[in-house]
Amino acid sequence: MADTKTVETEPEKQPRSVRVVLLALMITMMLAMLDNMIVGTAMPTIVGELGGLEHLSWVVTAYTLATAASTPLWGKLGDMYGRKGAFMTSIVIFLIGSALSGMAQNMGELIGFRAIQGLGAGGLMVGVMAIIGDLIPPRERGKYQGMMAGVMALAMIGGPLVGGTITDNWGWRWSFYINLPLGVVSLALISAVLHLPKKRAQARIDYLGAALLTVGITSIVLVTTWGGSEYAWSSARIMELIAIGVASLIGFVFWQTRAAEPIVPLHIFRSRNFTLMSLIGFVTGFVMFGATLFLPLYQQSVQGASATNSGLLLLPMLGAMLVTSMVAGRVTTNSGKYKIFPVVGSVAMVIGLYLLSTMDTGTSRLTSGVFMAVVGLGMGCLMQITMLVAQNSVEMKDMGVASSSTTLFRTLGSSFGVAIMGALFNSRVQDVMSERAGALGSKVTEQSAQLDAASLAKLPAVAREAYQHAVSAGTHSAFLLGAAVAVVALVAAVFVKEVPLKGAGPAKDGEKPADGTAETQPPLVDAI
């Protein structure tokens, strides 16, 4: 146990070194989370200059597809060939895609360059989580949860504000160029300070498995993106995509049992905790991105809030998430206990979403803020704990695929959440508009059930009042569905087994940790 001895004899080196590396990782995490939110704010300006309104959705879809499809591959590459090299490569690809996107001359180029950017983005979050998993034992990892939650909250609140400021003052191209200086700083710090053991796997990359997984994930994301908007849910195109996706994923699972170096080793799902955390991560993604989509819409359309500060409208939820995540991390570090947090978090999420579903045209901002805070409390208990427990449930050699699989399930959950909650919301809005405003109501929402502030202001008073009631009804249905889905996370949380966190000290005499995990995780901090 030479590594352990090194850490004990150099107590001052660990905190300083870890903080420098974490600074670089947090910058990279910020890059991954900020991008879509900044670009989303700039999209009207981009369309105004480049044209191609009919291809607008592909600017986001191309990025999302590439990110989701490449996430498992980056995790596996890090496990096989070394975490540092894979992580730095993903940053470089992301920066190249950002630079090219900023130089795009038409919508077709922008879509292609966004796909390159998304390809790199798939490795950013995975790299951050896997490197933290390498450097810091799970028992100590809770200390840094607040930092990660803080970055996520800052990105969600600041993204739209930064995007609007950059677009108004520097032009939309800088919404991509802003990534370059941040990325270069991150690369320089990681290159100079982070030193992890180098790896070189003898087995070849599982190309067939990668292809099957990519086709399966792409089909799923396209179904959730196009279903109910570009194509009807019962259309031939959607049915074809579902068939292709299901067939590809079945083929992928079958092949993973035979591949020499599988992209996603199926044995990691033998751990009950890992499987449950993947399920909870999916539900958290489903609920979180649905909430961040519909809450600003409700507050702008029904409560008359300003669209300019739309990110600030989520402050009660994100603030509660940040504080709770810090508390959960500290308690986990001090006690080594964590099961209480998925259970409490799931209960709070169910209650909070149900409360949000009760909002109507008379709900005050204070009341809705309290409801959002309850949801944020639940998310704060779940966001980082799911990754921590998932990583604690696998061996060190599978840290990358564990991180990427957990991230992928959360990403897929967000795709399903936005699609299904969005379809339910749109349907309800159109029904209520028809009931309250007749033919005029149907005409108002025939293009989209989500009206911007300018369109809403132009409506006749009768149609505007009908739309406010319609949005209230739509959010009621969407959040009620979210509450029902969150019950799945609660059931999963109840069955989580409290396995001692690695690095929490030796087990009692004759006692082996459950779930097949190693007794302790050799710290790698001294490798910095």
Side-chain angles (χ1 to χ4, degrees), residues 98-391:
S98 298
L100 291 173
S101 295
M103 294 186 285
Q105 298 302 308
N106 56 62
M107 192 61 80
E109 289 183 3
L110 180 59
I111 290 169
F113 296 151
R114 283 282 283 167
I116 295 174
Q117 193 184 20
L119 187 65
L124 299 186
M125 287 291 288
V126 172
V128 168
M129 296 301 179
I131 289 173
I132 289 176
D134 273 351
L135 294 179
I136 306 167
R139 177 69 179 263
E140 300 300 315
R141 212 172 295 157
K143 293 179 183 177
Y144 305 98
Q145 285 182 3
M147 295 174 61
M148 290 185 279
V151 168
M152 297 174 78
L154 185 62
M156 290 180 178
I157 295 171
L161 298 175
V162 172
T165 302
I166 290 175
T167 303
D168 291 341
N169 294 283
W170 298 348
W172 68 266
R173 296 183 186 276
W174 275 96
S175 63
F176 296 105
Y177 293 150
I178 193 68
N179 293 330
L180 302 181
L182 293 173
V184 168
V185 170
S186 178
L187 275 175
L189 287 174
I190 290 168
S191 177
V193 182
L194 179 63
H195 303 289
L196 294 174
K198 294 183 179 179
K199 303 176 184 178
R200 182 66 188 178
Q202 298 298 318
R204 297 179 61 187
I205 296 173
D206 177 17
Y207 292 106
L208 177 57
L212 288 170
L213 183 60
T214 300
V215 172
I217 291 173
T218 300
S219 299
I220 290 173
V221 174
L222 286 177
V223 166
T224 57
T225 303
W226 285 348
S229 56
E230 297 285 328
Y231 302 95
W233 285 103
S234 58
S235 67
R237 180 60 55 87
I238 296 298
M239 292 297 107
E240 289 168 0
L241 285 171
I242 290 175
I244 292 171
V246 170
S248 299
L249 292 178
I250 291 175
F252 171 75
V253 171
F254 176 79
W255 176 248
Q256 293 304 279
T257 62
R258 287 159 173 74
E261 194 66 48
I263 295 292
V264 179
L266 299 184
H267 66 78
I268 62 177
F269 291 98
R270 293 174 189 161
S271 165
R272 183 171 78 186
N273 276 5
F274 181 84
T275 303
L276 292 173
M277 287 302 123
S278 297
L279 179 58
I280 292 173
F282 180 92
V283 173
T284 304
F286 188 106
V287 168
M288 181 176 180
F289 285 89
T292 54
L293 175 66
F294 295 113
L295 281 171
L297 178 64
Y298 169 84
Q299 291 189 301
Q300 290 171 39
S301 301
V302 180
Q303 296 181 328
S306 167
T308 306
N309 298 321
S310 57
L312 296 177
L313 301 176
L314 298 174
L315 192 57
M317 183 176 75
L318 298 174
M321 185 179 80
L322 172 59
V323 172
T324 309
S325 183
M326 293 177 68
V327 171
R330 182 60 62 181
V331 171
T332 300
T333 296
N334 292 339
S335 68
K337 305 293 184 182
Y338 54 81
K339 179 174 179 176
I340 184 66
F341 296 111
V343 174
V344 171
S346 300
V347 169
M349 208 156 60
V350 171
I351 294 173
L353 287 164
Y354 174 75
L355 291 174
L356 288 176
S357 76
T358 65
M359 295 189 303
D360 55 27
T361 54
T363 304
S364 68
R365 292 191 193 180
L366 175 61
T367 301
S368 60
V370 172
F371 294 169
M372 282 190 282
V374 177
V375 175
L377 187 151
M379 290 181 179
C381 289
L382 294 173
M383 286 297 292
Q384 304 303 330
I385 288 290
T386 52
M387 181 65 72
L388 186 153
V389 178
Q391 291 179 337

Side-chain angles (χ1 to χ4, degrees), residues 467-498:
Y467 185 70
Q468 290 175 340
H469 281 91
V471 169
S472 294
T475 51
H476 166 77
S477 299
F479 288 129
L480 201 58
L481 172 65
V485 172
V487 172
V488 176
L490 175 58
V491 174
V494 169
F495 289 97
V496 170
K497 192 172 184 178
E498 188 104 63

